[in-house]
Every structure is written in structure tokens, then in C-alpha cells.
Amino acid sequence: MPVNGFSFNAFDPIYPVEPRLFAGRRVDLEMARVALISTLKRHSSNMLVLGEKWVGKSSFALAVQEMAANIPSLAGMEELEFRSGVYTFGACASLDHVCLALIDTFRKLVPDQSKVIELLSSIRGIKVGLLGLELAERERPEIRLQLSPLVLHLLRELAPRNQAFLVVLDETERLASFEGAAHLLKDFMETLSREGQRQVMFLFTATPNGERRLREDHPSFPRQFRYIQLDRMTIVESMEQVDS
């Protein structure tokens, strides 16, 4: 929108709006709040945030992360804790890299990193580097077959019982370009749910084009999520954003 004669867009995808400056989207944030509380109660509710570029999907995801950190006390469940992680898929080169990124995201959510690194170092095809997990240059067994068993082991054996998890999967246009990506994610999420890991909530951001490609890859992919449609902000919301 124009502000003082200049075109203004608060939602730069490179620099998402900080949660303390986030404005508007009250109905959508209320849906996220309900989903977070449900996940704390081990009835996870995954969300897909759908919108064109520059409408604030990443900023919305950051606001939900901030909410997750505070939701146990707000919901009167102080004995529980929400941990959150985020991964952006812009640099992924293959589905093997996607699997490794998901494993690494869950790895960072577990407090005792020494035990996690010991476990992952024993897996063929995975290297633990200074910047995180890497694919081994030579032996690469099917990393896709490792994804669900490894994450289930992390959640069952190494994650504290009083924790819930928010996993934000952002900038998914690149992810949607891989054949089989929707199958991979759907099977992974269904496996966690089927195996009783209902304390994990996924928040997935997508453009309409990316969401369409994922549906074409697997028509039932949308059934994993409650949708939040982010349209361009109203004039009132935009002015609230500027004033903040």
C-alpha cells in the first residue's frame, strides 16, 4: 500500500516481521492458538498457511512460534513446554536432502544433543558436520527409509515426556517441485500420528502454485492440514502494521 507517497510492503520474505511488531490476522492467529492447545493435549492439528508471495506467510509463522512458547502458561498447562523449529526448503536439491532437513530439524528439538549425535553418527549415509547433518559423499542408503524410524526414536527415547513440538516448514515452492514430495510428507506425518506421536504440530506454508503441485503429486495431501488462507491485509490492518 502507498504510505506518504511510497509503496510499502511490511512482508519482505528475506526479513519477516518480528512477532512483537506483527499486527492483524486475529482470526487466523486464534485458529493457530486452538491448534497449539490441542497439540499440547496430544491431539495434534496441522496447519497449512496458503497465500501468494509477499502476503506474510513467514511472518505469520514466526508469530505462531512466539505464541507456542507462551501457550502452556496461557492455557494453564505450565507443566508442559512447547519447543519449535523451522526449516526453509529453498536450498534443497533432492528428496534425500528434504529427509535430512526434517531429521535435522527434529534433532535440534531434543535437549540432550550428545545422545542425539551419538545415534546419528551410527547411521550409514549421514555425517554430523559443524553446521548440522550432511549426506555422506559415498555410501547413501535410502535416507527416505530412515526418516520415520529415526524421528520416532528421537521422540520416544530422547525427548522429554512433558514437551510438545511445533515444526514450521517454510518456503516450500522448491520442495513442491520434487516428484514424490507430497507422498513423502504425507506418509511421514501419518506415521507419526499412527505411532502415537500426536504432540507434534506441523505448520506448512505454501503458495497456491506450490499447493497445487503437491495436490497433483498426491491428491489426499491436503487432508493432513487445516487451511489458513492469507489474503492481502485490509487497509486497517496495514495501517496498524505501519503504526506499530
Side-chain angles (χ1 to χ4, degrees), residues 106-135:
F106 277 91
R107 185 266 301 180
K108 294 173 183 175
L109 296 176
V110 176
D112 191 342
Q113 285 296 295
S114 61
K115 290 184 178 179
V116 176
I117 291 173
E118 181 181 350
L119 168 68
L120 295 177
S121 297
S122 67
I123 305 297
R124 282 180 54 214
I126 295 178
K127 294 194 304 181
V128 181
L130 294 176
L131 300 179
L133 301 187
E134 303 172 6
L135 291 174

Side-chain angles (χ1 to χ4, degrees), residues 94-194:
S94 68
L95 281 184
D96 277 345
H97 283 96
V98 169
C99 292
L100 196 68
L102 290 169
I103 293 169
D104 204 26
T105 300
F106 277 91
R107 185 266 301 180
K108 294 173 183 175
L109 296 176
V110 176
D112 191 342
Q113 285 296 295
S114 61
K115 290 184 178 179
V116 176
I117 291 173
E118 181 181 350
L119 168 68
L120 295 177
S121 297
S122 67
I123 305 297
R124 282 180 54 214
I126 295 178
K127 294 194 304 181
V128 181
L130 294 176
L131 300 179
L133 301 187
E134 303 172 6
L135 291 174
E137 294 182 4
R138 295 186 177 179
E139 291 182 311
R140 286 194 186 181
E142 277 295 324
I143 301 298
R144 279 168 248 186
L145 299 180
Q146 309 271 9
L147 174 60
S148 293
L150 268 177
V151 171
L152 283 170
H153 184 84
L154 291 175
L155 294 174
R156 287 172 172 166
E157 305 299 329
L158 301 179
R161 300 296 92 183
N162 67 332
Q163 288 186 345
F165 304 94
L166 170 66
V167 178
V168 177
L169 305 180
D170 198 16
E171 294 184 20
T172 58
E173 195 80 6
R174 174 70 172 163
L175 169 68
S177 69
F178 297 133
E179 183 179 354
H183 283 264
L184 172 73
L185 289 171
K186 180 177 180 292
D187 289 347
F188 175 53
M189 295 167 67
E190 286 183 341
T191 298
L192 293 187
S193 179
R194 184 173 63 251

Side-chain angles (χ1 to χ4, degrees), residues 25 28 49-52 55-58 60 228-232:
R25 311 294 194 197
D28 303 314
V49 180
L50 184 65
E52 297 288 356
V55 300
K57 298 186 297 297
S58 296
F60 181 84
I228 287 182
Q229 174 72 52
L230 291 191
D231 298 314
R232 294 193 179 276

